[in-house]
């Protein structure tokens, strides 16, 4: 043991001391060993990237949600505007329909209604036998009859038909005719049975029309128009204080008016019966098809 040279021993010590110093000076890691600092940085980078992706996705979703909300808002505004426009259109249409009541045809019908009390006052003025007052009464009656011819024609030609006209026109016709017949019979110029036949027929046909209206409408016939014209001429001749041959002529004109009144009345009754039977048959056929 004492024979080992000091230099050898020292070299061995130097070698042992140099080993650690060489290792630390090289600052090299063995293969397969990871750098802790690099791993932490990579994890931090991955987390930052994940956070940025999440943030971007949230921003995208928020943008999509915002666009969806904007679209829904636009749709709701469009619906509101459309509803307002629809309500405005309905109100405008109602205003037009309300204004259409005041058309020329209806004004003529109103004039005819106003002429009824005026005619009665003139007819019975000064005892009812004054030729001058009877002439004025005839003028009012003639105006009423002429307006009856024009208001219906204007309403059909220029599309002025209204619910008011449908109701007021027949009322005005029967009001002026009924007033004239009652006044003539009250003054003794016309038998009461003639007044009863004419007014009974007019009122009866009017009621009959309303009864069968669920099955259809009874159209006005040429006989009915001829009847109206004949009645107007006959009653007008009786309103005037006529004497001589004209007084005889008015008797025959009134007789023709009575015949046409009865004949056309029976024809309307026949049409109403046929119309009702046809309507009932059609309803039964439709009911059978529905059940089948």
């Amino acid at each position: 043991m004492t024979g080992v040279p000091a230099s050898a021993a020292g070299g061995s010590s130097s070698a042992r001391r140099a080993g650690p110093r060489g290792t630390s000076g090289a600052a090299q890691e063995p293969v397969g060993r990871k750098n802790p600092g690099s791993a932490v940085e990579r994890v931090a980078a991955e987390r930052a990237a994940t956070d940025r992706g999440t943030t971007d996705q949230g921003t995208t979703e928020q943008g999509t949600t915002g666009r969806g909300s904007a679209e829904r808002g636009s749709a709701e505004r469009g619906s509101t505007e459309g509803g307002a426009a629809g309500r405005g259109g309905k109100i405008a249409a109602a205003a037009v329909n309300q204004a259409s009541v005041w058309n020329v045809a209806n004004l003529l019908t109103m004039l005819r209604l106003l002429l009824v009390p005026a005619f009665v006052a003139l007819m019975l003025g000064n005892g009812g036998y004054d030729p001058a007052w009877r002439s004025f009464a005839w003028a009012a009656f003639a105006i009423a009859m002429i307006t009856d011819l024009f208001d219906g024609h204007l309403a059909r030609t220029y599309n002025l038909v209204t619910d008011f006209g449908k109701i007021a026109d027949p009322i005005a016709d029967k009001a002026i005719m009924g007033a004239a017949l009652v006044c003539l019979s009250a003054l003794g110029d016309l038998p009461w049975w003639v007044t009863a036949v004419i007014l009974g027929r007019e009122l009866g046909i009017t009621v009959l029309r309303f009864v069968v209206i669920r099955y259809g409408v009874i159209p006005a016939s040429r006989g009915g128009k001829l009847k109206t014209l004949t009645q107007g001429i006959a009653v007008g001749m009786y309103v005037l204080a006529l004497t001589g041959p004209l007084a005889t002529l008015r008797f025959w004109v009134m007789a023709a008016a009575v015949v046409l009144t009865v004949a056309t009345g029976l024809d309307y009754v026949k049409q109403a019966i046929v119309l009702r039977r046809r309507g009932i048959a059609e309803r039964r056929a439709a009911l059978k098809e529905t059940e089948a």
Side-chain angles (χ1 to χ4, degrees):
M1 294 294 290
T2 58
V4 178
S7 60
S12 176
S13 274
S14 299
R16 285 196 300 270
R17 288 192 300 269
R21 285 197 300 269
T23 304
S24 60
Q28 294 179 354
E29 293 182 355
V31 179
R33 187 176 178 181
K34 295 182 179 179
N35 188 351
S38 300
V40 172
E41 291 176 357
R42 283 197 298 271
V43 171
E46 290 176 358
R47 289 182 178 177
T50 303
D51 293 340
R52 285 196 300 272
T54 304
T55 304
D56 294 340
Q57 183 178 0
T59 304
T60 304
E61 291 177 353
Q62 290 175 358
T64 305
T65 304
R67 287 194 298 272
S69 301
E71 291 175 358
R72 286 194 298 272
S74 299
E76 291 174 357
R77 286 194 300 272
S79 301
T80 304
E81 292 174 358
R87 290 191 295 270
K90 291 180 180 179
I91 294 173
V96 170
N97 291 335
Q98 184 69 21
S100 65
V101 174
W102 300 97
N103 56 57
V104 177
N106 288 343
L107 290 176
L108 291 176
T109 301
M110 295 177 191
L111 174 62
R112 195 159 66 255
L113 287 171
L114 294 176
L115 285 174
V116 174
F119 167 81
V120 174
L122 293 171
M123 187 72 182
L124 301 178
N126 199 19
Y129 296 102
D130 189 333
W133 286 91
R134 295 283 286 260
S135 297
F136 290 130
W138 177 86
F141 181 81
I143 293 173
M145 291 293 101
I146 292 173
T147 56
D148 180 34
L149 298 176
F150 280 103
D151 61 356
H153 175 73
L154 290 173
R156 291 186 297 270
T157 302
Y158 297 101
N159 194 23
L160 300 176
V161 178
T162 61
D163 293 337
F164 171 80
K166 292 178 182 178
I167 297 174
D169 183 68
I171 292 176
D173 297 342
K174 292 168 179 55
I176 190 67
M177 183 61 67
L181 290 171
V182 170
C183 287
L184 290 173
S185 295
L187 294 173
D189 293 340
L190 189 68
W192 277 105
W193 69 266
V194 175
T195 299
V197 168
I198 295 177
L199 293 183
R201 184 268 186 195
E202 298 299 330
L203 296 176
I205 295 302
T206 300
V207 173
L208 187 62
R209 284 178 179 272
F210 281 105
V211 170
V212 300
I213 195 171
R214 68 182 68 178
Y215 306 108
V217 178
I218 303 176
S221 62
R222 293 182 178 179
K225 295 179 181 179
L226 180 61
K227 178 267 308 177
T228 302
L229 178 61
T230 308
Q231 283 182 358
I233 295 174
V235 172
M237 294 179 71
Y238 269 87
V239 170
L240 289 172
L242 299 177
T243 57
L246 292 177
T248 303
L249 178 62
R250 70 182 182 181
F251 170 82
W252 293 106
V253 175
M254 180 60 74
V258 171
V259 171
L260 288 173
T261 299
V262 175
T264 55
L266 295 175
D267 180 64
Y268 274 115
V269 172
K270 178 182 176 181
Q271 292 186 51
I273 293 174
V274 172
L275 186 62
R276 181 176 180 276
R277 289 178 178 176
R278 185 185 304 163
I280 293 175
E282 290 177 355
R283 288 189 177 184
R284 288 179 179 175
L287 183 60
K288 289 181 180 179
E289 291 179 358
T290 303
E291 293 177 352

